[in-house]
Structure formats: structure tokens, C-alpha cells
Amino acid sequence: MTADTNTDLDTDLDNTPVPPPAAKSARALARARKRRSAARFWREYRTHRSGLWGLAGLVVIALVALCAPLLVGADSQSVTDAPGGALEAPSGEFPLGTDQFGRSVLALLVWGARVSLTVGLLAAFLCVAIGTVVGIVAGHFRGWYSTVLMRVTDWFLVMPTLVLAIALATVMSRSLWTVILAIGVTTWPTTARLVRAQTLAVESRPYIERARALGGGHGHIMQRHVLPNVMPLVLAQTTLVISSAILTEATLAFLGLGDPTITSWGGMLQDAREAGAVSAGDWWYLAPPGLAIALVALAFTLCGRAVEAVLNPKLRVAR
Amino acid sequence: MTAESTPALVQSADTDGPAQAGPSAARGPRARNTKAYLQYVAGKIAGAVVSLFAVLVTSFFLFRLIPSDPVKQMTGGRRVSAQQLESLRHQFGLDLPMWQQFTNYIGDALTGDFGTSYQFHAPVIDKISEALPATLLLTGTAYVLYTALGIWLGTRTAWRNGSRSDRFNTAFALTLYSVPSFWLGLLLIIVFSVGLGPIPGLFPTGGLESGGETGFAYVVDVAHHLVLPVITLVAVGYAQTLLVMRSSLLDEMGSDYLTTARAKGLRDDVVRRKHAVPNAMLPTFTLMFVNLGHVVAGQILVETVFSWPGLGGLFYSALSVPDLPLVQGLFFVFATAVILANTLADVLYPLLDPRVGR
């Protein structure tokens, strides 16, 4: 014991004059390594043509959502002073026609992009955050709490997701946050299972044992060693979860469980159905929102698959 | 779940097998294996029972959170005296303390009684068994079709990996996979039921039957009504099977045993059907069972859009009231179907793949 502490002190003393430049260079090294691996990632990603298409689509949609007030005007959602007549067919003034209140469908479509992206991103973030924490904890600790956590995960996995999300959205008040919560809380188990499997694989590697032998606590090992190694998988999973979250959001809004004061694509479809657009054959009102949902979901799926293919060497070989 | 129990079982099988020497050695390992398997099955069934109970408890508490007063919903704005309200409350057991409602609920549920629907004033179990055949017909037909289509196309695309047809099929499936099912249903109704431009209305807009038909004409009528909803479900559903089948077959493609099979001089077709596909089926098999559970849960959206008289549509109508006993009953039935399908998959898994659970 004493000998150990002595040597430790010795090395510390030896190192004292050195630290500043050494620490700096270590950080610089780490930064350079990160930059290199990011560049490698991008080089690999670039070879996936469908992934590039997905990325391009996302950039366009994100720009449209951000610039919505500039593109179509801030007052285009107002029901009271709508510019057109009810359910007009597409014309020069309204490229996609009008809804039952005389609002331009194109303008509503542009505004709806915001809701879809916000809910998709936040719900996916929530889902992946819960899944990652549960997965890492369940994989790191052995014994009864791991068992309990996995039981809870299995239980959520067994629940029909949409049914549970609908039930939650019904129970809570109507708002965007409710929808985000309902989606996030019901979709995390798949991520948790994936992350747990990866955690178990990481934890069996020798460097975890080394970290433990050097006195690394549970928190240290989970944060500094397991989490960085699980991150790539989590990133790919997030992208894939976003597209399903966007679909679920549209579904909930279509069932009338979304926020009625906000224009969303699913809500537009519900409005269209209620206005009798189906039996009247008003395709210009019904087709665009669904197409937009499909495009955004597809874009995220393409990106997610490309990220997955880049990060998962097994898939890369198989390709 | 399966993966966790595997090591112990594998170990016991391994150590028991060689250790058995002497007269009983010939049938020893097998008997041991059967015993281990039965233990494994018993474990899975016990797990399923625990899950079912958890579902029962959850569905009780989850739907008590709905803030509205069911009795007010039931009377639907009609003028009723306080006394009538009180007697309605009493009739549905809503005046009892929470814990008593809970024990009554569990006791009733165990005997298959989910209470009386507020909306239809009929036993929940009757409403569910009335709607079940319609759902099974619709989603069962769709399930068989999209599973078959997914496996077939998945095999083809993986085998011709990188070809133009592979790229096209994968992209097409991914696109359909991203489409909201209810929107596709609405579009199909507009184009093929209402009729768009030159296309006349070919199919009915919804429902299960036109009414008044009997015998063979009835069957044709129902089939006619089935076309659009089934197309919707198949279009949205087959991509997942295709992708899983494709990726697991791609995993097998580089394997040595396929090279061996080819070296033996087998035709490409035989190598695919007899060697590669059976080995790649396992993940698809898992997915098939996951989907099987959802056959009963139905497709709430598609049934609602096509006014299909099944469980999904019933669930939607029950939620909008909200009709608590019906929602609870349906929730339980949906979750039970998924649990049973998963348990069935777990039980069959070791029989299909000797590497698992033995």
C-alpha cells in the first residue's frame, strides 16, 4: 500500500512541470482524432447515394420549415380572413387549392412542416434518451435491478405501441407536448434492448476491466467508456426513430388527438376528411399532406440506413 | 428473452450429454433435452401469465386517468335528475371506492367479464366477439399476403443484390413503408371508389358488405369490399418483411456452405431454396410472430378509414366517448394477442433452430 502511494506520488512529482503542454497536446490529439473520424465517416457516407438523397431532402424541408413566415406569410393560418373560397381547385393564385375555410393548402403545408419536424425530433430524442439510459444501466449492473428494468422494457415492448400512444394522448390534455410525450414514452423499449446488447458487448472488453481495476466507479465507466461506444448505434437508431415518430404524430393528429390550434399534416388530413374531401374527390387537399409526411419519413429512413451501413461493419461487408 | 435463457440451457445440455455413460447413454441426452425444453416452455408460459396480469392492472389504472365523467358522457347532454345519475353510477359500480372497483374489475376479468359498455349498453365481451371475425378476416388476409410478398421479394432482391431490380424494389418498398396507411386508404377511396377523372368507382367506399346478399353472392360481395383495405395494409406492411428477409439473406450470402453447395454442382435455384433461405428465415420468423400478434390488434386507422366493423374501428369509437369498459377490454385483448404470439414464437424457436434454447 505505502509503496504504491509512494510511486504514485513520485510520478506525480515528476510530471508536475510537464502537465500544461502535455494536457493540451492530449486534447489536441483527441480533437484531431475526432476530426479524422468525422472525415472518415463522411467519406464513407458519401458513397451511399440514397443516404445523400435523404440528406438533401432533409436540408430542403428544414429550410422550408425555418423560412415558413417568409415563404407564405405569417397570417396564412388564420381562419377569419382567409383569401380564397371554400375548397377551390388548384389555380394560379392557390397552386394546391384551398381548404374549407378558404386558406391556401400550400401555405398550410409549409406551416405543417414545422410541427412534423419538431415533434419528430423531440419525440425521437426523448425515446432514444430513455432507451439509452435504461439500456446502459440494465447492461452495466447485474442482479435484480437489471432484471426489473428488462422486465419493464419487455412489458412496454409487448404493448401495442399505437394503442398505448392513443390511450396516453386521450388521457392527457391536447397539446404538442402530450403528443411528444405519448410517442417518446411508448417507443423507447426497442432502443433500450439494442443499447443493452451493445453495452454487454462493450463491457466484456478488457479495457473496462482495466478502468475498474484503476478505481473507475459505475458512473465513470458508464459515461466515459460505455456511452461513447454505444453512441454510433444510438445515432443510427435516432434517425430511424424520427421517421416512425413523424408517422405516429400524423396518425395521432388524424385521430383528432393532436393540438387543434396548430396546423399539422395529420390534422390537415383529418380536416379534409371532415370537410368531405374524400367523397367529393378533392385530391388536391388530401394528397399533398400525406405526400409530405411520406417524403420526410422517407428522408429520415434513408439517412438512418446510410448511417447504420457506415457504422456497422457487418452490413458494409454484406452490401 | 430467448438469448438470456440460452446459455444455461446450452450448458446443461452440453454437460449432461457426454457425462451420460453406460446403458442409458443412447437416449439420455435426448430425454434430458426434452426435459430442459419443457422447463424452458414452462418458464416462458409463466412469464406470459405475469405479463397478462400486468396488462390487466395497467389497463385499469391508465384509463381511470381520463378526466371526464363517464356518466355525463353516457347521458349525452340529456336532462337527467341527480337521482338518475346516482343510479347510473351505482349500476356501473362507479360509486364504489377505487380499491373495490379494482378488485371487482380483476375478479370479473378473470372470469371473462369486462363489464357493460356505456355506449352500446351491451356486455363488452359480446361487442368484442362480434367484431373479432371482421378484423381477423381483414388483417388475416393482409397478413398472409404481405408476409408472402415480403419473403418472396426479400429473397429475390438479396439474391440479385445490387442489380437494378434490387435497387428499384428496395426503394419502392421503403417509400411505401414511409406512407401513412390511413392516407393511402383515403387516396385509394378517392381514386377507385369515388372515381377520379376517367377512372370509374370500382370498389365500395367502406364497410364489410352491401347487405341483402346470401350464399355465394355474399362471399363475392365481402371480397369486393376487402380489396381496397387489404391493398392498403399489404402496401404499407410488406416492406418490413422484405427488408428483414433481404438483410438476413445477405448475411448468409458469403457463407462457405453456399460455396460448397455450388461446388457440388447444385443449380443456383436449389442453392437458394434449399440452403440459403432456410438459414436466413429465423429473423423473418421472429418478425412474422410479432406481426401475428398485431393481426388481432388490427389496424385502427385502416379500419376507421374504411368503416370496417372490426376491433380497430370499435376501439376508435370507444375512445371518442370514452367508453371505459370497452376500451379496457379491447386494450386487454390487443395486448393478450401480442403476448400470446410472442410466447408462441419463443416456444417454437428452439424447435426450428437447434442453436437456440438447446
Side-chain angles (χ1 to χ4, degrees), chain A residues 196-278:
Chain A
R196 175 171 170 274
Q198 182 76 6
T199 306
L200 287 177
V202 171
E203 292 243 347
S204 67
R205 289 188 197 152
Y207 70 86
I208 299 288
E209 203 179 328
R210 170 192 167 274
R212 201 168 284 144
L214 288 177
H218 292 303
H220 173 80
I221 289 176
M222 284 190 279
Q223 281 170 32
R224 303 304 297 265
H225 296 290
V226 178
L227 188 63
N229 279 293
V230 173
M231 256 351 240
L233 178 85
V234 169
L235 181 68
Q237 180 67 9
T238 312
T239 341
L240 293 174
V241 167
I242 294 174
S243 63
S244 73
I246 286 174
L247 281 174
T248 314
E249 187 272 329
T251 306
L252 291 177
F254 179 71
L255 289 174
L257 298 169
D259 188 335
T261 59
I262 294 177
T263 310
S264 76
W265 291 335
M268 282 172 74
L269 286 173
Q270 188 211 10
D271 286 347
R273 188 163 177 248
E274 281 183 353
V278 179

Side-chain angles (χ1 to χ4, degrees), chain A residues 69-233:
Chain A
L70 300 175
L71 288 174
V72 293
D75 55 347
S76 48
Q77 293 186 83
S78 150
V79 182
T80 44
D81 46 326
L87 292 171
E88 275 179 36
S91 60
E93 195 185 352
F94 305 110
L96 293 175
T98 59
D99 72 350
Q100 67 266 44
F101 305 111
R103 298 177 292 181
S104 163
V105 171
L106 182 65
L108 295 178
L109 201 65
V110 170
W111 280 104
R114 293 189 155 199
V115 178
S116 249
L117 289 183
T118 315
V119 173
L121 290 172
L122 287 180
F125 180 75
L126 183 65
C127 152
V128 170
I130 302 176
T132 307
V133 170
V134 170
I136 289 183
V137 170
H140 177 80
F141 292 101
R142 304 294 151 83
W144 65 270
Y145 21 81
S146 164
T147 315
V148 168
L149 273 181
M150 285 330 282
R151 277 275 140 222
V152 173
T153 311
D154 282 342
W155 179 83
F156 268 99
L157 209 56
V158 152
M159 286 309 203
T161 312
L162 185 61
V163 174
L164 195 60
I166 291 175
L168 280 175
T170 317
V171 166
M172 294 184 283
S173 60
R174 299 267 183 280
S175 80
L176 222 50
W177 293 107
T178 303
V179 173
I180 292 170
L181 209 63
I183 298 172
V185 164
T186 49
T187 49
W188 60 269
T190 330
T191 312
R193 283 222 149 252
L194 271 174
V195 169
R196 175 171 170 274
Q198 182 76 6
T199 306
L200 287 177
V202 171
E203 292 243 347
S204 67
R205 289 188 197 152
Y207 70 86
I208 299 288
E209 203 179 328
R210 170 192 167 274
R212 201 168 284 144
L214 288 177
H218 292 303
H220 173 80
I221 289 176
M222 284 190 279
Q223 281 170 32
R224 303 304 297 265
H225 296 290
V226 178
L227 188 63
N229 279 293
V230 173
M231 256 351 240
L233 178 85

